[in-house]
């Protein structure tokens, strides 16, 4: 132990959770019975969701011939896929890489996958609006099995179910713990917490995590190809599905930052969630911001370099023509501001700075999805060999805004309702952190030790 | 990491400096063997320069074949260093410690070997110098900075310089140990290179920061290098090459082959220098798990290239894929490629027993690199060989002996470079091994003591 | 006025704990503060392990400066070449910005890396001519404690170090303060 404390040097050390185990369970119980602002939030987002439903009915009543009118509907699904359904990837990646920082926030992030219910429901009418795949380039090569509705339902359904499995599998011990602490031991009987049960749980989580990752990649590949690329004649870009996914991952990190900040603030979890998870995610966010530029530049340069009319028409539609202004604003918010801010170390290692960056990225991604889907849905003749006429910009009406707001609110609503079923804090993971990380004296300082049982 | 022998600094110094400070008899035998292999390439290049590019099998329209395949292959291998060293340093993965320097050295020599290929395959390479710098204003020999062939040297030069300086800057503490443990001319030599290193907290703090900062800087360069190499193909309007996915596809392929090459190298080093205390089965296990993730990511990008190559159902693109998959000899090569690059290694890597077996990891990693060499060949040659519309002459490519010599010689050159480096400098970072002992800790959980690590 | 001479002593300790104990004793009995000592080790230790003062540096300036220099060189090279040879290739403009970005980017990164290396050496105070007060046993696992004090305190410091278990204590030459 230090004898001369005036010589102790204070510098940053990884946070160690020091909450007593019983308090962890009590906090989990408190989180499942939220009050105050929770009710207001449910009411607010519920109302917006209902407005969205009204908007959908109004749009449906206008028919499905005018495809451009469904652009915002598809963009909403893409936004949810790229934000709520991408945020769990951060937790999943943390789990697969065995990073300790994920423990207090893993459940809150994995619960974002439940918003996939909204995308699964929304994809049904969206897929029915798409023109037939026969006679134009698509993933299905004119096969009779090439029905976008089926394949999009399958892949989005798989993604949602993987997320659902992740949440409820990992919540099982927590629900038993919370119920037992309230005197209800019926759940604890099904989960006494034997060694075998824990091994099966951890194995199952690893498998589901890997499956979630694969489903995420598949969902972006299928959805982006069917709803964007295959509707633009002459656009054959092998990188676009991956680009759509990477943009989603960047926004997923931003969503994760926002969710962690809100959960920390409104769940009063300051003792659990320090700046460490924010710092960890922001490094990933910086890498993905750089990758955003990389993927976009790779696609742009390849299409631009040869100067063929077919490819220049595609670039005009997506970047330099009707959506130039939108792209410039998008570029500012999804790349320039985050890149400059994230280069600054104090921003990366702060909660407020990361939240500002996250909001910028989310706004930029929203514009990106609007740009892509408006452009794709505006093309009149999808059966041409190349884009002969670049359509003008699609200007949204009130119904589009209602649908956009309603869809996103629906996703938030699903999350809020799930809060009452599953503790926001992964109690067993946090209690594992209590066992596996300690602050110990080291010579004349204090050090954080992280155990590596594997 | 459950296997963690407790080693004293003295033992670490002795074991890791043994090959540097003492020369076993087998050193000369291995040196001669590697020299012979390299010599095959040297002779092939001298013959090429003396006789002309006609000694190669390239002819219109297949102007790029073995040489560019080998070039792309070695640039790919060079991605190992940054992947292992930079990313694992940034994620504070403990298992990187014995692997980083070997991976970085492999990077430098693989990249230097790759850089020789463009020089060699212009035939009269001294003419290249005319238009490099300063610009030859008087003869109108102008560099086209808009061309990927100019982007290539800028990227390779940046990566090579960065990697070399990275190796040197993190080698300084080990050079100080070599200085302290040697006498005579060796002491003077290492003393000069160690720059007066003492090991005070300032210097160590800067070393740690250097590792993190340089890792962060070199990572974007690493991504750009193989992307720019891919642009040699993607920018061209050659059907089968003109694909937007080439940049990430090549990069992830480079990581796949590069990390496999590191596994091969680690197995060889462990065997050659008896480094069983430092290169342990758990390191191969971790490398194997990394390979599993990278291999599947590579396969995703391969599928993207394949599916979206056929997506538009353009006749030429379809014909080129048909040539790659169904026409001799590419059909056989394609089958071997798929088997060796994905179908065999990935299931093997999923087995823990394979990942923890040094022999099996060595064999699996060699398989992967055979497959990845073939992947580049299959990508390049059929697209050129296919008779396009408005193409009035064509030929079938057959590699000639000088080309085989060049390829074999390149393996000799890289192996020789790494071997000589390991003779002059410690190939396993000494201070990192000592640091792992300092930062090792234990956490008592109930009746069990769990190994842990101090995190900063 | 008599200017007190300063002198450095190097104590070699067999373990890190012994060195830390010695530093505690030096602080109590000889008034040695973190400004007066330095610790020499063969591997990094957790920050503050010996009670040393935090390392202040400005390393981050170097990559920024290097990046700016490299960016300028890349820009000049690409723009200059294209203006020197204003040929249209494949329908691209004379100053083709998308095609220039790669060389500019590589120049930026090369500048950043080169300046970072210079910064690392500069901030580490390397190269230094000679190792100064040093012992090769440090690379064998011994911990060296270098104390700078006034000449009149040298016997006290030496005695404290030996009592704390130093395997050896070496004094450097006196120097004017």
């Amino acid at each position: 132990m230090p004898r001369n404390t005036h010589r102790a040097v204070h510098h940053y050390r990884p946070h160690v959770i020091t909450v007593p185990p019983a308090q962890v369970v009590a906090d989990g119980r408190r989180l499942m019975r939220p009050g105050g602002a929770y009710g207001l939030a449910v009411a607010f987002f519920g109302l917006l969701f209902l407005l969205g439903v009204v908007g959908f009915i109004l749009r449906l009543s206008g028919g499905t011939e005018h495809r451009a009118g469904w652009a915002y509907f598809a963009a909403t699904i893409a936004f949810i896929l790229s934000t709520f359904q991408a945020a769990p990837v951060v937790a999943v990646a943390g789990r697969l890489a065995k990073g300790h920082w994920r423990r207090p926030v893993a459940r809150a992030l994995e619960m974002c996958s439940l918003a996939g219910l909204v995308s699964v429901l929304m994809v049904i009418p969206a897929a029915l609006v798409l023109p037939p795949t026969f006679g134009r380039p698509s993933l299905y090569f004119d096969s009779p099995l090439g029905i976008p509705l089926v394949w999009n339902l399958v892949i989005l359904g798989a993604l949602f179910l993987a997320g659902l499995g992740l949440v409820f599998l990992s919540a099982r011990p927590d629900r038993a713990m919370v119920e037992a602490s309230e005197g209800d031991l019926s759940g604890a009987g099904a989960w006494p917490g034997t060694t075998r049960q824990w091994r099966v749980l951890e194995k199952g989580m690893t498998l589901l995590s890997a499956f979630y990752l694969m489903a995420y990649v598949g969902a972006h590949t299928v959805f982006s190809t069917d709803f964007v690329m295959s509707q633009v004649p002459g656009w054959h870009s092998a990188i676009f599905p991956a680009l759509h996914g990477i943009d989603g991952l960047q926004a997923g990190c931003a969503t994760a930052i926002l969710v962690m900040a809100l959960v920390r603030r409104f769940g009063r979890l300051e003792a659990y969630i320090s700046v460490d998870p924010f710092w960890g995610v922001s490094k990933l966010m910086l890498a993905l911001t750089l990758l955003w530029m990389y993927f976009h530049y790779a696609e742009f340069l390849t299409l631009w370099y040869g100067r063929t009319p077919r490819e220049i028409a595609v670039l005009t539609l997506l970047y330099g023509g009707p959506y130039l202004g939108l792209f410039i604003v998008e570029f500012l918010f999804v790349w320039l501001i985050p890149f400059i801010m994230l280069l600054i170390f104090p921003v990366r290692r702060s909660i407020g700075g990361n939240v500002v960056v996250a909001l910028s990225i989310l706004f930029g991604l929203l514009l990106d999805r609007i740009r892509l889907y408006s452009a794709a849905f505006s093309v009149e003749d999808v059966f041409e060999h190349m884009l002969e006429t670049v359509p003008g910009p699609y200007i949204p009406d009130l119904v589009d805004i209602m649908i956009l707001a309603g869809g996103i609110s629906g996703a938030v609503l699903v999350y809020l309702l799930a809060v009452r079923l599953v503790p926001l804090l992964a109690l067993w993971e946090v209690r594992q952190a209590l066992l596996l990380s300690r602050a110990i004296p080291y010579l004349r300082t204090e050090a954080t030790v992280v155990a590596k049982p594997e | 990491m459950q296997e963690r022998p407790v080693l004293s600094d003295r033992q670490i110094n002795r074991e890791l400096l043994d090959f540097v400070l003492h020369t076993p008899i087998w050193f000369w035998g291995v040196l001669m063997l590697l020299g012979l292999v390299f010599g095959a390439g040297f002779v092939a290049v001298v013959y090429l320069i003396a006789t002309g590019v006609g000694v190669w099998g390239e002819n219109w329209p297949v102007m790029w074949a073995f040489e560019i395949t080998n070039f792309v292959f070695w640039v790919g291998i060079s991605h190992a260093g940054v992947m292992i060293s930079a990313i694992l340093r940034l994620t504070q993965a403990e298992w990187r410690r014995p692997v980083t320097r070997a991976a970085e050295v492999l990077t430098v020599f693989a990249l230097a070997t790759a850089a020789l290929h463009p020089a060699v395959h212009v035939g009269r390479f001294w003419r290249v110098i005319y238009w490099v710098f300063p610009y030859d204003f008087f003869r109108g020999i102008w560099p086209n900075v808009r061309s990927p062939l100019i982007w290539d040297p800028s990227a390779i030069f940046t990566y090579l310089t960065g990697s070399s300086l990275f190796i040197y800057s993190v080698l300084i503490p080990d050079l100080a140990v070599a200085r302290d443990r040697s006498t005579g001319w060796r002491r003077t030599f290492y003393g000069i290179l160690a720059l007066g290193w003492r090991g005070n907290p300032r210097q160590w703090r800067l070393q740690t920061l250097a590792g993190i900062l340089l890792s962060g800087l070199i990572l974007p360069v690493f991504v750009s290098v193989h992307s720019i190499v891919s642009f040699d193909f993607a920018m061209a309007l050659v059907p089968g090459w003109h694909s937007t996915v080439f940049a990430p596809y090549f990069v992830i392929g480079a990581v796949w082959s590069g990390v496999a090459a590191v596994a091969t190298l680690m197995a060889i080093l462990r065997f050659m220098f008896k480094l069983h205390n430092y290169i342990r089965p758990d390191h191969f296990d971790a490398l194997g798990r990394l390979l599993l993730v990278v291999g599947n990511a590579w396969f995703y990008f391969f599928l993207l290239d394949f599916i979206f190559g056929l997506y538009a159902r353009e006749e030429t693109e379809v014909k080129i894929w048909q040539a790659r998959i169904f026409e001799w000899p590419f059909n056989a090569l394609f089958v071997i490629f798929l088997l060796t690059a994905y179908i065999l290694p990935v299931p093997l890597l999923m087995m823990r027993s394979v990942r923890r077996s040094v022999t099996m990891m060595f064999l699996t990693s060699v398989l992967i690199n055979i497959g990845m060499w073939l992947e580049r060949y299959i990508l390049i040659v059929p697209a050129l060989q296919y008779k396009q519309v408005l193409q009035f002459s064509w030929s079938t490519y057959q590699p000639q002996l000088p080309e085989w010599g060049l390829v074999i010689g390149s393996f000799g050159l890289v192996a020789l470079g790494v071997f000589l480096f390991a003779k002059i400098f410690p190939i396993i970072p000494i201070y990192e091994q000592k640091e792992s002992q300092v930062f090792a800790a234990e956490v008592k959980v109930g009746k069990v003591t769990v190994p842990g690590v101090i995190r900063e | 006025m008599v200017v007190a001479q300063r002198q450095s002593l190097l104590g070699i300790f067999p373990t890190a704990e012994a060195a830390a104990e010695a530093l505690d004793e030096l602080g109590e009995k000889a008034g040695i503060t973190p400004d007066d000592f330095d610790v020499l080790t063969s591997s990094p230790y957790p920050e503050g392990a010996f009670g040393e003062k935090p390392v202040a540096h400005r390393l981050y300036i170097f990559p920024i400066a290097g990046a700016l220099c490299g960016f300028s060189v890349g820009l000049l090279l690409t723009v200059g070449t294209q203006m020197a040879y204003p040929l249209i290739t494949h329908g691209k403009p004379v100053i083709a910005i998308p095609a220039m970005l790669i060389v500019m980017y590589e120049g930026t990164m090369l500048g950043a890396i080169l300046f970072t290396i210079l910064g690392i050496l500069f901030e580490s105070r390397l190269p230094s001519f000679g190792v100064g007060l040093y012992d090769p046993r440090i690379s064998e696992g011994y911990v060296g404690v270098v104390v700078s004090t006034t000449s009149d305190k040298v016997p006290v410091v030496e005695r404290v170090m030996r009592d704390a278990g130093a395997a050896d204590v070496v004094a450097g030459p006196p120097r004017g303060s």
Side-chain angles (χ1 to χ4, degrees), chain A residues 1-4 6-13 297 300-301 304-308 345 442-447, chain C residues 16-17 20-21 23-25 28 37 45-52 54 90-93 96 98-99 101-102:
Chain A
M1 287 300 292
R3 278 157 59 177
N4 289 329
H6 73 272
R7 292 201 288 116
V9 176
H10 298 287
H11 58 269
Y12 173 78
R13 262 186 295 279
Y297 181 68
F300 176 84
L301 191 68
W304 174 86
Y305 197 86
R307 321 291 288 155
T308 61
F345 179 73
Y442 189 93
L443 292 179
R444 298 301 174 263
T445 187
E446 249 198 5
Chain C
E17 183 56 49
E21 287 278 348
L23 284 164
D24 290 339
E25 296 285 323
E28 279 176 21
F37 73 82
Y45 276 76
E47 253 190 298
F50 297 97
E52 72 273 18
H90 222 301
K92 288 187 269 295
L101 286 176
I102 288 175

Side-chain angles (χ1 to χ4, degrees), chain A residues 142-293:
Chain A
D142 289 350
S143 160
L145 297 174
I147 307 166
L149 173 61
V150 168
W151 295 105
N152 280 277
L153 259 182
V154 163
I155 196 69
L156 286 176
L159 186 62
F160 168 65
L161 288 172
L164 191 68
L166 265 177
V167 172
F168 281 94
L169 183 65
S170 90
R172 206 158 160 234
D174 291 354
R175 286 170 56 86
M177 255 191 276
V178 167
E179 285 161 11
S181 73
E182 289 172 333
D184 175 7
L185 295 175
S186 57
W191 183 268
T194 63
T195 309
R196 185 184 151 75
Q197 278 185 314
W198 284 114
R199 291 280 169 267
V200 169
L201 173 79
E202 286 181 338
K203 207 70 179 173
M205 294 288 291
T206 306
L207 285 170
L208 274 174
S209 300
F211 185 65
Y212 191 89
L213 268 176
M214 290 194 296
Y216 172 84
V217 170
H220 277 268
T221 304
V222 173
F223 190 84
S224 65
T225 310
D226 283 344
F227 285 85
V228 184
M229 192 156 63
S230 67
Q231 293 194 90
V232 179
W235 189 13
H236 326 139
S237 174
I239 204 178
F240 182 71
L243 182 159
H244 199 272
I246 289 290
D247 288 359
L249 281 179
Q250 184 204 20
C253 286
T255 310
I257 295 276
L258 206 56
V259 166
M260 292 190 311
L262 289 168
V263 162
R264 182 178 189 268
R265 162 81 175 79
F266 290 101
R268 287 178 282 128
L269 296 176
E270 290 85 354
Y272 300 90
I273 305 174
S274 66
V275 77
D276 290 348
F278 293 90
W279 189 18
V281 176
S282 84
K283 285 185 264 193
L284 198 55
M285 203 156 59
L286 175 59
L288 286 164
T289 302
L290 292 170
L291 282 175
W292 183 98
M293 175 57 103

Side-chain angles (χ1 to χ4, degrees), chain B residues 44-272:
Chain B
V45 169
V46 168
Y47 180 58
L48 164 81
I49 293 166
T51 316
V53 186
V55 303
W56 283 351
E58 273 100 341
N59 207 340
W60 184 260
V62 186
M63 301 313 291
W64 279 354
F66 253 42
E67 295 65 36
I68 203 88
T69 304
N70 215 37
F71 164 70
V72 176
F73 175 76
W74 284 115
V75 175
I77 297 286
S78 77
H79 279 48
V82 175
M83 182 71 199
I84 300 288
S85 176
I87 291 186
L88 297 185
R89 226 179 268 270
L90 290 174
T91 54
Q92 296 185 294
E94 279 294 304
W95 64 270
R96 76 178 187 279
R97 294 186 187 281
V99 185
T100 51
R101 187 165 298 148
E104 289 157 9
V105 170
L106 181 62
T107 289
V108 166
F109 285 105
L111 201 56
T113 302
L116 289 174
H117 285 66
V120 161
H121 88 234
V122 297
R124 287 174 286 186
F125 64 88
W126 54 88
R127 293 196 166 193
V128 166
I129 297 162
Y130 286 145
W131 49 263
V132 171
F133 195 80
Y135 288 162
D136 192 347
F137 289 99
F138 301 102
R139 280 185 277 203
I141 302 170
W142 52 278
N144 178 13
V145 292
R146 303 182 206 104
S147 163
L149 300 179
I150 296 292
W151 304 340
D152 263 350
S154 74
I156 289 173
F157 179 72
T158 303
Y159 191 34
L160 189 57
T161 310
S163 300
S164 308
L165 290 173
F166 190 2
I167 291 178
Y168 177 65
S169 70
V170 295
L171 188 58
I172 292 171
D174 290 354
L175 290 168
V177 176
R179 169 198 68 198
D180 292 345
R181 305 264 62 79
S182 58
T183 54
W185 65 268
R186 281 199 176 96
R187 188 183 176 87
T188 313
F189 173 66
Y190 293 122
I192 293 170
L193 290 176
L195 302 179
W197 174 272
R198 302 177 78 219
N200 60 33
R202 184 178 189 86
Q203 290 176 341
W204 282 122
R205 182 87 189 115
L206 267 303
Q207 262 295 311
T208 309
L209 280 175
I212 294 168
L213 196 50
L214 285 172
S215 297
L217 287 172
I218 210 126
L219 264 175
V221 177
F222 136 86
V223 173
S224 72
V225 169
H226 217 53
S227 306
I228 288 162
V229 168
S230 80
F231 289 159
D232 288 343
F233 309 99
M235 295 300 121
L237 291 176
V238 174
W241 282 8
H242 192 58
S243 172
T244 49
V245 83
F246 267 29
Y249 177 39
F250 270 52
V251 171
I252 199 79
V255 175
W256 181 221
S257 68
V259 178
V262 169
T264 310
L265 180 62
M266 297 316 292
I268 293 171
L269 287 177
R270 182 182 142 106
F271 168 72
M272 233 180 194

Side-chain angles (χ1 to χ4, degrees), chain C residues 91-106:
Chain C
K92 288 187 269 295
V94 172
I95 308 288
I97 294 174
M100 282 162 52
L101 286 176
I102 288 175
V103 176
M104 286 163 59
Y105 165 80
E106 296 295 340

Side-chain angles (χ1 to χ4, degrees), chain C residues 9-62:
Chain C
L9 290 100
L10 169 67
I12 312 291
F13 294 87
T15 63
E17 183 56 49
E21 287 278 348
L23 284 164
D24 290 339
E25 296 285 323
L26 284 167
E28 279 176 21
K29 293 177 181 167
I32 299 297
T33 66
D35 288 325
D36 299 328
F37 73 82
D38 211 356
V39 183
L40 307 180
T41 53
S42 60
S43 73
Y45 276 76
E47 253 190 298
F50 297 97
E52 72 273 18
K53 55 182 184 177
V55 172
H57 62 86
R58 280 171 300 219
L59 185 62
Y60 297 101
I61 294 175
F62 288 85

